[in-house]
Amino acid sequence: MKNYDWIIIGGGITGSALAYELSKKKFSVLLLEKDAIANNATLYSYGGLAYWSGTTDETRQLGAEGIELHRHLSEELDGDTEFRELDLLLTINQEDNPQEIAQDYDRFAITPQLLDIKQACELEPLLNPDAIAGALRLPHGQIDPQKTTQAYQVAFRRHGGVIKYESVIDLIRQGDTIQGVITKQNTYQSANTVVAAGGLTRSLLQGRGISVKTYFTHAQLIKTAPVDFELKTIVMPAVQQRFALEATASDLESRSAWEQPEPTIVKSILDPGVVQFRDRSLCIGQISAIATEPKTNFDLALAESQIRHQIAPILPKISEIPGTCHHCLVAFSDRGIADVGAVESLRGLYLFTGFTSTLVFAPAIAKRFANQTIENL
Ligand SMILES: Cc1cc2nc3c(=O)[nH]c(=O)nc-3n(C[C@H](O)[C@H](O)[C@H](O)COP(=O)(O)OP(=O)(O)OC[C@H]3O[C@@H](n4cnc5c(N)ncnc54)[C@H](O)[C@@H]3O)c2cc1C
């Protein structure tokens, strides 16, 4: 049986970027993905590259590395990631004070330009001037996350990487060393195993008796077919409730709620926003909820009407576009910008998940991870 240098569990953007970077360094790598047709956070993502969002020297450097990487990624992978640079427009609610909201953004690597209502509507004519007190403008980037993931996978295969569509159900464990994985069909051995299984990382490891502090939200969003008009920007709210929701994860941790058989459900939040992709299709979102059971069912018809109701005052035209509401899990960490590195007290097992601003940080960290691995040899 072949013994791989690395097995990566999860073929979303994080696992695919890491598999590619390791294969580029001539390691033998097996990427295991459970779904032959993607149905994950990467597929439903806005694709935004928040390279401005670093708040420390380290994350500012990573933001700069990330956007530079994306500027050349299509060429490097020989596959179109649909990268483009465009403005992010953060709408300020009527009841909020624009100057105070702008001050909250002073901590970021790039600070926004504060626009009054007229300037905001000149930049994004679909905005309803009666619904906002102004907006913040930031330089942003966008990729098509699914096409980028596919481009990573094609380039990975070109470097000799192997992709198999099999669900990992167990780890091969010898004492405190992980020596590979077991899928429904096969057993695969490896010197190193990385879990990049997004929102399912926690349950996969918990089921094997390995406790990690990686969390997930349940996201709900509407995807549309291509439309006959063009958005000039990515529109999101300046005050996002998602971050406050994520902060409740550690409260649940302290009550051991993530380990309980009975799921705990925390109230959902809705951050109204919209992005358009190069084919002119839209993604309108987004509801985020914390429920400790990954398989929790959400009423997607209700979610769709709630999203439409909240987007209607800000972007009336968008709220009427027909579309389909989807659900996915989005991993996050409350310990810095990601859960990356060796799993404590085990040899041969690593995490690569839970990223903040995943699309800009994860590709850059994947490159660093592969470089570091070579240096450590
Ligand atoms: C509406 C929305 C908008 C977003 N907008 C942005 C944005 O603008 N910018 C940004 O940076 N981020 C954004 N995000 C977040 C970002 O999309 C995610 O953080 C990112 O896609 C996560 O990638 P991933 O590889 O970690 O997880 P996923 O894409 O979920 O991939 C994990 C993969 O692991 C596989 N897997 C799980 N368990 C197993 C197993 N046992 N065996 C084999 N395979 C397994 C799954 O099938 C899945 O394909 C957004 C997310 C959503 C939902």
Side-chain angles (χ1 to χ4, degrees), residues 10 12-14 33-34 40-42 44-46 48 168 197 328 357-359:
I13 194 157
T14 62
E33 165 55 50
K34 69 181 175 61
N40 54 20
T42 301
Y44 297 122
S45 175
Y46 288 167
V168 172
C328 65
S357 298
T358 312
L359 304 181

Side-chain angles (χ1 to χ4, degrees), residues 8-16 31-50 140-142 145-146 149 164-170 182-183 195-201 203-204 208 217-222 234 236 242 275 283-288 327-332 352-362:
I8 316 283
I9 307 171
I13 194 157
T14 62
S16 302
L31 177 63
L32 288 166
E33 165 55 50
K34 69 181 175 61
D35 297 326
I37 297 170
N39 182 25
N40 54 20
T42 301
L43 180 68
Y44 297 122
S45 175
Y46 288 167
L49 302 172
H140 207 59
Q142 192 195 28
Q146 187 55 20
T149 301
K164 290 189 189 272
Y165 293 101
E166 296 178 28
S167 180
V168 172
I169 52 169
D170 209 348
I182 299 169
T183 70
V195 189
L200 291 173
T201 298
S203 56
L204 175 63
R208 321 274 78 74
T217 54
H218 295 257
Q220 290 144 88
L221 56 117
I222 302 168
I234 290 181
M236 289 166 72
R242 188 166 58 83
V275 300
C283 183
I284 312 166
Q286 105 181 63
I287 292 177
S288 304
H327 163 269
C328 65
L329 300 178
V330 183
F332 69 94
F352 196 77
T353 191
F355 289 85
T356 306
S357 298
T358 312
L359 304 181
V360 76
F361 289 148

Side-chain angles (χ1 to χ4, degrees), residues 46-116:
Y46 288 167
L49 302 172
Y51 63 93
W52 48 268
S53 67
T55 52
T56 61
D57 287 349
E58 174 69 357
T59 52
R60 285 166 188 228
Q61 173 60 31
L62 266 171
E65 263 173 57
I67 190 66
E68 203 43 36
L69 181 152
H70 277 290
R71 287 184 176 127
H72 305 284
L73 194 59
S74 292
E75 201 184 336
E76 173 174 342
L77 301 179
D78 196 17
D80 192 358
T81 67
E82 301 201 354
F83 170 76
R84 61 180 182 147
E85 312 221 16
L86 83 172
D87 286 319
L88 173 64
L89 200 64
L90 298 167
T91 53
I92 300 172
N93 292 335
Q94 274 180 319
E95 61 274 21
D96 289 330
N97 177 322
Q99 276 76 23
E100 279 175 21
I101 301 292
Q103 269 170 21
D104 282 349
Y105 280 76
D106 279 350
R107 63 205 160 97
F108 294 116
I110 301 174
T111 49
Q113 182 191 1
L114 175 58
L115 305 180
D116 62 24

Side-chain angles (χ1 to χ4, degrees), residues 88-287:
L88 173 64
L89 200 64
L90 298 167
T91 53
I92 300 172
N93 292 335
Q94 274 180 319
E95 61 274 21
D96 289 330
N97 177 322
Q99 276 76 23
E100 279 175 21
I101 301 292
Q103 269 170 21
D104 282 349
Y105 280 76
D106 279 350
R107 63 205 160 97
F108 294 116
I110 301 174
T111 49
Q113 182 191 1
L114 175 58
L115 305 180
D116 62 24
I117 299 172
K118 186 165 170 281
Q119 289 168 320
C121 293
E122 274 165 12
L123 187 62
E124 186 51 79
L126 290 178
L127 275 180
N128 173 12
D130 298 331
I132 56 169
L136 303 177
R137 174 191 199 171
L138 275 157
H140 207 59
Q142 192 195 28
I143 52 170
D144 181 311
Q146 187 55 20
K147 289 185 180 154
T148 304
T149 301
Q150 281 160 358
Y152 266 126
Q153 292 184 2
V154 170
F156 167 64
R157 280 191 163 119
R158 223 180 282 131
H159 285 298
V162 178
I163 303 178
K164 290 189 189 272
Y165 293 101
E166 296 178 28
S167 180
V168 172
I169 52 169
D170 209 348
L171 302 172
I172 309 172
R173 186 169 177 164
Q174 192 70 48
D176 61 0
T177 304
I178 302 300
Q179 297 179 332
V181 305
I182 299 169
T183 70
K184 283 181 182 158
Q185 296 87 346
N186 290 299
T187 296
Y188 298 102
Q189 289 188 329
S190 62
N192 305 284
T193 299
V194 183
V195 189
L200 291 173
T201 298
R202 188 183 182 105
S203 56
L204 175 63
L205 292 177
Q206 204 165 284
R208 321 274 78 74
I210 301 166
S211 175
V212 291
K213 292 195 169 71
T214 298
Y215 309 110
F216 54 88
T217 54
H218 295 257
Q220 290 144 88
L221 56 117
I222 302 168
K223 269 183 105 70
T224 77
V227 294
D228 60 0
F229 58 85
E230 214 170 86
L231 277 163
K232 304 278 180 274
T233 61
I234 290 181
V235 182
M236 289 166 72
V239 179
Q240 291 186 29
Q241 299 178 58
R242 188 166 58 83
F243 302 110
L245 182 81
E246 289 181 0
T248 60
S250 40
D251 287 350
L252 295 176
E253 185 78 70
S254 62
R255 290 190 273 129
S256 301
W258 293 93
E259 271 92 37
Q260 300 303 317
E262 284 303 308
T264 304
I265 300 181
V266 174
K267 198 171 154 289
S268 303
I269 61 89
L270 203 165
D271 286 323
V274 62
V275 300
Q276 187 169 40
F277 292 99
R278 204 164 72 184
D279 69 356
R280 294 195 167 191
S281 65
L282 304 172
C283 183
I284 312 166
Q286 105 181 63
I287 292 177

